[in-house]
Amino acid sequence: MLLYSHIIILFMQELISKLSIRVNSHIYLKDPETSDLGKRIVDGGIDLIDEIGFEAFTFRKLGQHIKSPEASIYRYFESKHKLLLYLMSWYWGWMEYRMVLGLTNIKSPQERLNIAITMLTEQVSQDSNFSHIDEVKLNRIVISESSKSYLTKDVDHENKEGVFSGYKSLVARVSDIVEEINPNYKYRHMLVSTVIEGAHHQRYFVEHLPKLTDVVKGEDAIVTFSLQIMINAVQGNE
Amino acid sequence: MLLYSHIIILFMQELISKLSIRVNSHIYLKDPETSDLGKRIVDGGIDLIDEIGFEAFTFRKLGQHIKSPEASIYRYFESKHKLLLYLMSWYWGWMEYRMVLGLTNIKSPQERLNIAITMLTEQVSQDSNFSHIDEVKLNRIVISESSKSYLTKDVDHENKEGVFSGYKSLVARVSDIVEEINPNYKYRHMLVSTVIEGAHHQRYFVEHLPKLTDVVKGEDAIVTFSLQIMINAVQGNE
DNA sequence: GCGAATATAATAGCATTACTATCATAATTA
DNA sequence: TAATTATGATAGTAATGCTATTATATTCGC
């Protein structure tokens, strides 16, 4: 029986490794998943943004990094901002995928919420199922750069094109679990997006502005804190 | 008696209007409060960043806006990033000042926490006490640009110079109230910074990504939500 | 296997940005 | 009134954020 489920898991992994995360086509000019250069742009982009930060990152530098001309990169992405949107969108798509898998067959909504929030707020480790992308570096980029993907004057236009739908869909999915537990709670989307964004900020603060956070020995304080906030809010008396 | 306190308030306002918010001297090359041009740079900067956003904002455009040469602005601030730091630092200094005033003579720590969180999360209205700065516009800038002031590769260095001390001191002050109410709560700094940042993000979402938040008729949902999170966490059973 | 289409490389160029430098003139201060 | 200091006017430079052009690979249909 144990062996049998093990085989199923292997089969699923085989299946998953051939799947790719779908990213809204308005983000790119040419789908980077369809070519070797495209993948090198994405991988190299993750590498370089993680290393030097989004402000210092340029397509010229990326070109040097992956040994391809700057102009070739522009055939895939209009601007570095669009590349960032691509990375964020890929990340949320990947997260949602993992979450759906992690929640299958879990009946209790309380347990589902626990799993979802833990997944969203814990430190990410490498996922071998999605070949070429380094999820650990990507997670660091999400932590320090994701706000910049929507805090711009183009948000409204980009939002209309659906570039944030991956994130919104994830938030909606978790909010639905909250609703299942307590249909009277009025702020479920607020709660979920606050906890997700909050956890990212706190991870950044731990590294760079420790006075703004709390480090507790022997536990992942950010996960514990996030779970507490969620549970207290959903089961709250008000 | 009522008239007497009214006179005291007028006297205090008179006093305050002559005070100015102290900003860490590492942020500027020359204190903008000391000259007419300096004030025009700050005011015009607030105006223009609010209008076109921080990405599109340049010192050349600011020069045209305030009808002074670009090079003159560089005598006050090294870069537009430093100007942003200045604005954020001023804002937090102003907030802390208002908070201290708003909390004087309030004994109950619960009530103090309520007042502090309401102040920090509600929509800002014009404060005539601090002459030349438009606090409403500045609050919009804090909402949409403040994350960019620390999400850079220079954080650690800038943090060492004390550039973020205004924000940290405010967070510490509110965290102290939390400690007063429940000294066993382990995550007070996390809680406070999450709620402040979270409220800003939620205000942004209401305008631009409404699917990520909840709008409730007849109340300021962001303030209510923030207060609930605080109270639940501090009085939480865990 | 060959020609046609398509993708990439190599190179150039151009307007804007992010500054720095210089010098003249105005305002302040000793 | 001279000396200092602040501002204005103007220039210049390296890097950024692109677009364009042409040449060379690579892939695809037949």
Side-chain angles (χ1 to χ4, degrees):
Chain A
M1 191 59 188
L2 204 81
L3 189 70
Y4 183 59
S5 76
H6 192 67
I7 288 166
I8 288 178
I9 287 168
L10 279 174
F11 176 70
M12 280 173 78
Q13 287 188 337
E14 179 62 21
L15 210 89
I16 293 162
S17 71
K18 276 170 189 154
L19 285 171
S20 69
I21 302 294
R22 206 184 300 279
V23 168
N24 182 300
S25 63
H26 284 102
I27 295 179
Y28 50 76
L29 297 169
K30 185 167 187 286
D31 187 349
E33 280 297 313
T34 61
S35 77
D36 179 67
L37 178 61
K39 283 174 199 150
R40 276 166 47 228
I41 290 170
V42 171
D43 294 358
I46 290 172
D47 237 58
L48 199 55
I49 293 174
D50 182 43
E51 195 186 323
I52 64 176
F54 190 65
E55 276 68 41
F57 172 83
T58 71
F59 276 180
R60 195 158 294 179
K61 287 176 191 165
L62 177 55
Q64 284 156 5
H65 190 74
I66 63 170
K67 294 184 171 71
S68 273
E70 188 189 7
S72 299
I73 302 168
Y74 277 101
R75 285 197 208 96
Y76 286 82
F77 295 102
E78 269 175 37
S79 62
K80 69 171 182 174
H81 179 247
K82 286 289 171 83
L83 172 57
L84 182 63
L85 286 177
Y86 182 89
L87 297 181
M88 297 304 106
S89 191
W90 193 96
Y91 182 85
W92 295 121
W94 172 73
M95 235 339 147
E96 185 158 11
Y97 200 91
R98 283 195 339 147
M99 221 174 78
V100 169
L101 269 173
L103 294 179
T104 38
N105 301 322
I106 313 272
K107 295 275 154 55
S108 147
Q110 281 83 2
E111 202 183 329
R112 291 164 65 78
L113 188 61
N114 249 278
I115 294 170
I117 294 302
T118 303
M119 247 184 186
L120 285 165
T121 60
E122 77 189 345
Q123 216 135 22
V124 163
S125 53
Q126 193 59 40
D127 179 345
S128 54
N129 290 319
F130 291 90
S131 44
H132 64 98
I133 289 182
D134 185 329
E135 287 90 3
V136 175
K137 285 183 185 171
L138 183 53
N139 176 248
R140 276 202 296 265
I141 295 175
V142 170
I143 288 169
S144 38
E145 319 288 359
S146 73
S147 313
K148 299 169 193 168
S149 72
Y150 57 79
L151 293 175
T152 70
K153 288 282 170 183
D154 298 324
V155 217
D156 298 334
H157 174 243
E158 287 172 347
N159 187 32
K160 262 184 208 142
E161 283 184 328
V163 300
F164 304 110
S165 56
Y167 187 44
K168 291 192 284 190
S169 141
L170 187 72
V171 169
R173 192 180 286 277
V174 184
S175 300
D176 285 349
I177 309 177
V178 172
E179 193 183 20
E180 221 182 306
I181 300 172
N182 181 354
N184 295 319
Y185 184 64
K186 283 190 283 184
Y187 315 111
R188 55 207 152 94
H189 301 91
M190 219 186 270
L191 178 63
V192 173
S193 61
T194 297
V195 165
I196 297 174
E197 303 275 321
H200 291 156
H201 273 99
Q202 294 302 320
R203 282 219 187 275
Y204 189 85
F205 292 160
V206 168
E207 296 291 322
H208 304 289
L209 296 162
K211 286 245 169 75
L212 298 179
T213 190
D214 307 274
V215 178
V216 182
K217 247 191 166 174
E219 61 162 329
D220 187 334
I222 294 170
V223 174
T224 320
F225 170 78
S226 302
L227 287 170
Q228 275 185 22
I229 293 285
M230 288 299 296
I231 293 161
N232 281 333
V234 176
Q235 300 175 343
N237 18 355
E238 272 194 278
Chain B
M1 190 58 186
L2 203 81
L3 190 68
Y4 182 59
S5 75
H6 192 69
I7 287 166
I8 288 180
I9 286 168
L10 278 175
F11 175 69
M12 281 173 78
Q13 287 187 338
E14 178 62 21
L15 210 88
I16 294 163
S17 72
K18 275 168 192 159
L19 284 170
S20 68
I21 302 293
R22 204 183 302 279
V23 169
N24 183 300
S25 64
H26 284 103
I27 296 179
Y28 49 76
L29 298 169
K30 185 168 190 283
D31 187 350
E33 281 297 313
T34 62
S35 76
D36 179 66
L37 178 61
K39 284 175 198 149
R40 276 166 47 228
I41 290 170
V42 172
D43 294 359
I46 291 173
D47 235 57
L48 199 54
I49 292 173
D50 181 44
E51 195 186 323
I52 65 176
F54 189 65
E55 275 68 41
F57 173 82
T58 70
F59 277 179
R60 192 159 295 175
K61 287 176 191 165
L62 177 55
Q64 284 156 5
H65 190 74
I66 63 171
K67 293 183 172 69
S68 272
E70 188 189 6
S72 299
I73 302 169
Y74 277 100
R75 289 201 198 94
Y76 286 83
F77 295 102
E78 269 176 35
S79 62
K80 69 171 181 173
H81 179 247
K82 286 289 171 82
L83 173 56
L84 182 63
L85 285 177
Y86 182 89
L87 296 181
M88 297 305 105
S89 191
W90 194 95
Y91 182 84
W92 295 120
W94 172 71
M95 237 336 148
E96 185 158 13
Y97 200 91
R98 282 195 337 146
M99 223 175 76
V100 169
L101 268 175
L103 295 179
T104 38
N105 301 323
I106 312 273
K107 294 274 154 54
S108 149
Q110 281 83 3
E111 202 184 330
R112 291 164 66 76
L113 189 60
N114 250 279
I115 293 170
I117 294 301
T118 303
M119 247 185 188
L120 285 164
T121 60
E122 77 189 345
Q123 216 135 21
V124 163
S125 53
Q126 193 57 40
D127 180 344
S128 53
N129 290 319
F130 292 90
S131 44
H132 63 98
I133 288 181
D134 185 329
E135 287 89 4
V136 175
K137 284 181 186 171
L138 183 54
N139 175 248
R140 277 202 296 264
I141 294 174
V142 169
I143 288 170
S144 37
E145 320 287 0
S146 72
S147 313
K148 298 169 194 168
S149 71
Y150 57 78
L151 293 175
T152 70
K153 288 281 169 181
D154 298 325
V155 218
D156 299 334
H157 175 244
E158 286 172 348
N159 187 32
K160 260 181 210 144
E161 284 185 327
V163 170
F164 304 109
S165 56
Y167 186 43
K168 291 192 285 189
S169 140
L170 186 71
V171 169
R173 191 179 286 276
V174 184
S175 299
D176 285 349
I177 309 177
V178 172
E179 193 183 19
E180 219 181 307
I181 301 173
N182 181 354
N184 295 317
Y185 184 65
K186 284 190 282 187
Y187 315 111
R188 56 209 151 92
H189 300 93
M190 218 185 273
L191 179 63
V192 173
S193 61
T194 297
V195 165
I196 297 174
E197 302 275 321
H200 290 156
H201 274 99
Q202 294 301 321
R203 282 219 187 276
Y204 189 85
F205 292 160
V206 169
E207 296 291 321
H208 304 290
L209 295 162
K211 286 244 169 76
L212 299 179
T213 190
D214 308 273
V215 179
V216 183
K217 247 191 167 172
E219 59 162 330
D220 188 334
I222 294 170
V223 174
T224 321
F225 170 78
S226 302
L227 287 170
Q228 274 184 24
I229 293 287
M230 288 299 296
I231 293 162
N232 282 333
V234 176
Q235 300 178 342
N237 17 356
E238 272 196 279

